[in-house]
Amino acid sequence: MFNRREVLTGAGAAILGLAASPTPSAGAAGAKAKKRHILMFTKSSGYEHSAITREGDKLSFAERTVTDLGAKHDFDVTCTKDGGVFTPDNIAKYDAFFFYTTGDLTKVGEHGNPPMTPEGKAAFLEAIRKGKGFIGTHSASDSFHAEPDASDTPNRYAIHGGKADPYIRMLGGEFIKHGPQQVAKMRVTDTGFPGCKDLRDSFDLNEEWYSLKDFSHDLHVLLVQETAGMKGNCYQRAPFPATWARMHGKGRVFYTSMGHREDVWTNPIFQGILLGGIAWATGNAKADVSPNIESVAPGYAEIPPMG
């Protein structure tokens, strides 16, 4: 549907363009912005997606993809499943944090990866509030649920609002459940955002689509999940946000529900959107992220039927 080179070039230009222009902290006129450094965190305290499953010490598929994109578009990526890295000193080393995670990350979980400490989680969230960037894909919204967090419990369908976990409030939305993988439509609501200029009005993609809830009222929605004709109880609801940007204090937060399937990670549409989100979250691209959730997804607060 889209020309791969045009999509990736557009997003890459968003990343590289501002890297070559002065920033408020760049000093002398014409000085270049520093090369951005991203920590990609892929710990799963619950179900671990195949896209982030490692074989021995070899990076997972998604980790390799993001690392390769960084090499091509001038940002560094450090990948880890070790929650112990979230200390004030380590947090200070990074410009942004990229989460593809699952469950309560302060617990070891079945895969045995070291957890975040409560203090590390608090320091991480405070760093975002003070200006660090955040990028989340797919199950980043399936992390830090309110207990009990099983997908078939009423609690998973409840709106927690200000009582939701601080991580969920930072992210801007929370996973409820997903149905069968299927082709569905993403409606594009802002072609001016980095990485979205070539997307036109909509696109179709085969993916494991998330049904989401507890959306922040200040979301700047980029993609809306069109639910008409989708199979599964969790999609029997009005269209709702699926990709967005928001400010968390001084921090820039970008999230997309896409990213389950390996072929999605290699899809030029997804890569273009992701590169645009990274560019914006790291401060290398500008965008108007005024709240638009009420106008582009007026039924967003509707909860699907349980079951």
Side-chain angles (χ1 to χ4, degrees):
M1 179 180 290
F2 299 101
N3 181 282
R4 178 181 177 88
R5 179 174 295 177
E6 288 179 357
V7 173
L8 293 182
T9 299
I15 290 177
L16 297 175
L18 278 181
S21 62
T23 65
S25 61
K32 292 184 178 180
K34 69 173 183 177
K35 188 174 186 178
R36 306 302 187 183
H37 195 176
I38 296 172
L39 179 69
M40 186 173 184
F41 187 44
T42 59
K43 172 180 166 58
S44 294
S45 294
Y47 173 77
E48 184 172 73
H49 288 74
S50 62
I52 55 168
T53 298
R54 294 180 178 179
E55 296 181 5
D57 294 331
K58 184 180 178 182
L59 291 180
S60 67
F61 191 91
E63 289 171 323
R64 295 197 306 273
T65 300
V66 176
T67 300
D68 290 345
L69 288 173
K72 294 175 182 177
H73 298 287
D74 202 33
F75 58 90
D76 290 327
V77 181
T78 296
C79 300
T80 187
K81 293 180 180 290
D82 183 357
V85 303
F86 288 92
T87 65
D89 286 346
N90 278 331
I91 289 169
K93 298 176 183 178
Y94 300 98
D95 300 292
F97 301 88
F98 189 133
F99 275 38
Y100 190 158
T101 54
T102 310
D104 183 347
L105 303 174
T106 62
K107 297 179 179 178
V108 174
E110 61 184 271
H111 304 286
N113 295 308
M116 302 173 80
T117 64
E119 296 78 13
K121 177 186 174 184
F124 153 72
L125 291 172
E126 180 66 6
I128 302 300
R129 190 185 67 81
K130 288 185 175 180
K132 298 288 187 180
F134 181 87
I135 304 102
T137 52
H138 201 49
S139 59
S141 63
D142 191 15
S143 303
F144 292 116
H145 292 288
E147 297 287 348
D149 70 349
S151 63
D152 58 352
T153 62
N155 199 47
R156 183 64 77 87
Y157 289 76
I159 297 296
H160 297 293
K163 295 182 179 180
D165 189 272
Y167 169 87
I168 293 296
R169 299 202 300 273
M170 176 279 293
L171 183 65
E174 182 176 359
F175 169 68
I176 304 174
K177 196 173 183 177
H178 67 77
Q181 295 183 35
Q182 59 195 286
V183 176
K185 184 181 295 296
M186 289 281 102
R187 173 162 51 89
V188 182
T189 57
D190 182 5
T191 55
F193 191 84
C196 295
K197 71 181 184 68
D198 296 315
L199 295 183
R200 303 174 187 172
D201 295 328
S202 65
F203 62 88
D204 295 336
L205 196 65
N206 186 25
E207 176 63 300
E208 179 187 87
W209 302 108
Y210 275 8
S211 187
L212 301 158
K213 65 167 188 176
D214 247 330
F215 298 105
S216 295
H217 300 306
D218 63 356
L219 295 189
H220 182 80
V221 181
L222 304 173
L223 301 177
V224 170
Q225 182 86 58
E226 291 289 0
T227 53
M230 292 188 71
K231 300 175 182 178
N233 278 358
C234 59
Y235 309 119
Q236 306 312 304
R237 57 183 296 188
F240 58 90
T243 299
W244 62 76
R246 71 176 295 266
M247 296 300 299
H248 185 70
K250 296 180 179 179
R252 298 180 175 198
V253 176
F254 171 85
Y255 170 77
T256 179
S257 65
M258 296 183 288
H260 175 86
R261 297 169 57 96
E262 282 84 349
D263 61 338
V264 169
W265 280 90
T266 60
N267 188 298
I269 298 173
F270 174 75
Q271 288 194 359
I273 294 167
L274 182 61
L275 283 168
I278 291 171
W280 177 77
T282 57
N284 272 352
K286 296 179 180 179
D288 178 3
V289 294
S290 302
N292 66 355
I293 187 171
E294 297 285 353
S295 60
V296 302
Y300 69 91
E302 183 178 336
I303 295 295
M306 184 176 170

